[in-house]
Amino acid sequence: MALSLSGRMVWNNVVMVEAENREAALPFTSGREWRNRSRVLAAAAAQGKNATVKTSTRRICDDDNGPYEEGKLSRPSYTGDSPLSRFVSMLISMKPLYSLMKVAARQVLINTAEKKGVPWRQMSEGLLTSNVYAEKPLVENASLVYPDYYLKDFHAYEDGNLSWKQAASEVKPATLSMIRRAIPDAKSMDEAMEVLRGNWLRAIEEHHVRYSCREISDILDIGCSVGTSTLCLADKFPAAQVTGLDLSPYFIATAQYTEKQKAASGQTRQKPIHWIHANGEATGLPPASFDVVSFAYVIHECPQQATKALLQEAYRLLRPGGTIALTDNSPKSKVIQDLPPVLFTLMKSTEPWMDEYYSLDLEQMMHDIGLKNVTSILTDPRHRTVTGTVPNHGPYGAPQEWQ
């Protein structure tokens, strides 16, 4: 259940978020209080209540722990060029062993999900026996050329993200399973969702309120998959025109089918979501046409050069004062750093670009392409949200040196 906030006022460097009911109120001044505030909001949302939150617009520095605990390292020891990382990579390079790892990883994912109450097989079968297939010809850009890095095995799927049977049909249960694993103390899926998605959405809103003078009218969700993050953005910002874009026509077709089914049952939106099959590195969309560009759990599946291209394209697409937001695994998360060997080996076997992701200084890359006010915070025990602003001065679109 999403938390509904009715209005916003900015007074003397303090953002006052006002709500219809005032059952819960908490100032935001420190990492610990930020976590308490998130719990208040989650509890209020789970009870169907709105909450009043006074939020300091203090910048959260790159080295601020935020509300969740960081590990002792800058990144997990099983990534990069460490001896442990090289050993795990050597195991993965052995084809017979790699094949066993893929099967094991898949079984761990499914069994963990179903133990947590996520009906993985049932949800997958439900999509595969639906009329979703009719959507693919309607959304697919048949002339699109897929980059080589995207054609790798992802998530123990031989066809990566380009299939119905495994990838498209299993994204939603896999996502729900991930949410339950990330927020293990949550009493329900709604509460876990409110913490993981709610904190991410609030981080975007709070950054934009502080650093931008423009309303959020247009949002682009790059790498939207089957639309889960896109739906969250549309629910959070109902007055905005939201667009979901992904490189997989199977994912985009599933997203569009899901929204059509909702509309047919009477769940209509003020502004229907647009769905686009395109490469996020070169979208073909006009420059300076969005106020927020979001990447939710995208860049851990990309080599560093692709991440840079995605950020540059996002910069080009944002209006001056616009916000870029990325949420993904945090290299500094204590939970991720402390994963047991069996789990991190299986995880690494399903994520071909993990080493490049964890060795990337994302905040520095965002600074280097010209973004200002770059802020990073752990928004749940496993994930960080990194935000930045396109400067208000200068021409629309990409910096001159890119052109």
Side-chain angles (χ1 to χ4, degrees):
M1 182 180 297
L3 187 66
S4 174
L5 300 177
S6 61
R8 182 194 309 123
M9 294 176 288
V10 181
W11 295 333
N12 300 326
N13 295 326
V14 173
V15 177
M16 179 84 74
V17 182
E18 298 231 333
E20 297 163 2
N21 301 318
R22 290 177 167 78
E23 285 87 349
L26 193 70
F28 169 29
T29 56
S30 70
R32 179 174 295 175
E33 290 178 359
W34 198 92
R35 174 164 53 189
N36 291 338
R37 183 188 77 117
S38 299
R39 288 173 175 168
V40 168
L41 291 172
Q47 296 170 20
K49 299 175 180 178
N50 292 329
T52 301
V53 183
K54 294 181 179 179
T55 306
S56 164
T57 57
R58 166 183 71 86
R59 182 181 178 211
I60 303 166
C61 300
D62 290 346
D63 59 356
D64 191 328
N65 287 348
Y68 299 106
E69 187 176 2
E70 291 185 347
K72 297 179 180 179
L73 306 174
S74 61
R75 67 184 183 209
S77 60
Y78 50 83
T79 64
D81 196 39
S82 69
L84 178 58
S85 175
R86 291 197 299 270
F87 176 71
V88 173
S89 296
M90 180 193 70
L91 294 178
I92 295 171
S93 68
M94 300 177 182
K95 288 188 177 181
L97 187 57
Y98 173 60
S99 297
L100 291 174
M101 285 182 185
K102 287 200 301 182
V103 173
R106 180 171 165 75
Q107 283 306 121
V108 166
L109 288 171
I110 295 173
N111 292 339
T112 301
E114 295 187 338
K115 286 179 182 177
K116 292 285 188 179
V118 178
W120 183 299
R121 294 175 179 86
Q122 182 181 338
M123 293 175 71
S124 174
E125 188 65 20
L127 185 72
L128 293 174
T129 55
S130 72
N131 294 322
V132 67
Y133 309 100
E135 298 299 324
K136 184 169 174 281
L138 303 179
V139 297
E140 185 172 16
N141 176 2
S143 64
L144 193 63
V145 177
Y146 297 100
D148 289 342
Y149 74 83
Y150 193 73
L151 300 176
K152 296 265 188 181
D153 288 5
F154 283 103
H155 305 152
Y157 302 147
E158 290 185 5
D159 294 323
N161 292 329
L162 298 174
S163 71
W164 289 116
K165 188 172 182 180
Q166 293 183 326
S169 70
E170 296 188 353
V171 169
K172 190 168 182 180
T175 300
L176 293 177
S177 178
M178 178 273 289
I179 292 171
R180 290 310 304 263
R181 289 197 311 275
I183 317 296
D185 295 333
K187 294 181 176 62
S188 66
M189 180 62 77
D190 283 347
E191 184 179 333
M193 185 80 75
E194 172 57 27
V195 174
L196 188 142
R197 298 291 188 183
N199 289 350
W200 159 62
L201 292 167
R202 282 186 287 275
I204 295 174
E205 182 178 46
E206 289 166 6
H207 184 102
H208 194 81
V209 166
R210 178 173 186 187
Y211 295 113
S212 180
C213 60
R214 64 169 61 253
E215 293 294 320
I216 298 179
S217 300
D218 298 280
I219 300 173
L220 177 63
D221 188 22
I222 294 180
C224 69
S225 185
V226 298
T228 303
S229 56
T230 321
L231 301 182
C232 292
L233 288 162
D235 289 341
K236 176 68 174 178
F237 305 103
Q241 177 60 66
V242 178
T243 300
L245 181 148
D246 200 90
L247 196 49
S248 170
Y250 302 89
F251 289 173
I252 287 292
T254 302
Q256 181 163 287
Y257 174 77
T258 302
E259 275 298 277
K260 284 185 176 181
Q261 292 299 106
K262 288 184 177 180
S265 67
Q267 301 178 56
T268 57
R269 294 187 181 276
Q270 181 179 341
K271 292 187 176 181
I273 297 171
H274 295 161
W275 304 103
I276 299 175
H277 176 218
N279 186 343
E281 300 171 52
T283 63
L285 298 172
S289 52
F290 295 94
D291 305 300
V292 172
V293 174
S294 172
F295 299 87
Y297 310 102
V298 174
I299 61 170
H300 75 275
E301 296 186 357
C302 301
Q304 291 183 9
Q305 192 56 41
T307 297
K308 183 177 181 180
L310 288 167
L311 291 172
Q312 289 177 332
E313 178 69 351
Y315 191 114
R316 185 186 73 84
L317 293 170
L318 283 165
R319 299 174 178 126
T323 297
I324 183 171
L326 305 96
T327 191
D328 217 312
N329 299 333
S330 173
K332 295 182 179 180
S333 161
K334 186 177 189 303
V335 173
I336 287 180
Q337 289 188 10
D338 292 349
L339 285 176
V342 171
L343 284 184
F344 69 63
T345 301
L346 291 178
M347 182 173 70
K348 195 168 182 177
S349 73
T350 68
E351 299 288 358
W353 302 109
M354 179 183 288
D355 285 337
E356 290 210 27
Y357 172 72
Y358 282 118
S359 62
L360 171 66
D361 188 337
L362 177 60
E363 293 85 353
Q364 186 60 53
M365 179 179 280
M366 292 171 70
H367 280 295
D368 291 345
I369 69 169
L371 291 161
K372 305 299 181 185
N373 311 315
V374 174
T375 301
S376 180
I377 187 171
L378 285 170
T379 40
D380 68 62
R382 290 174 179 254
H383 305 112
R384 61 180 172 175
T385 297
V386 188
T387 47
T389 309
V390 171
N392 277 305
H393 57 81
Y396 289 93
Q400 187 65 39
E401 59 266 26
W402 300 355
Q403 301 172 5

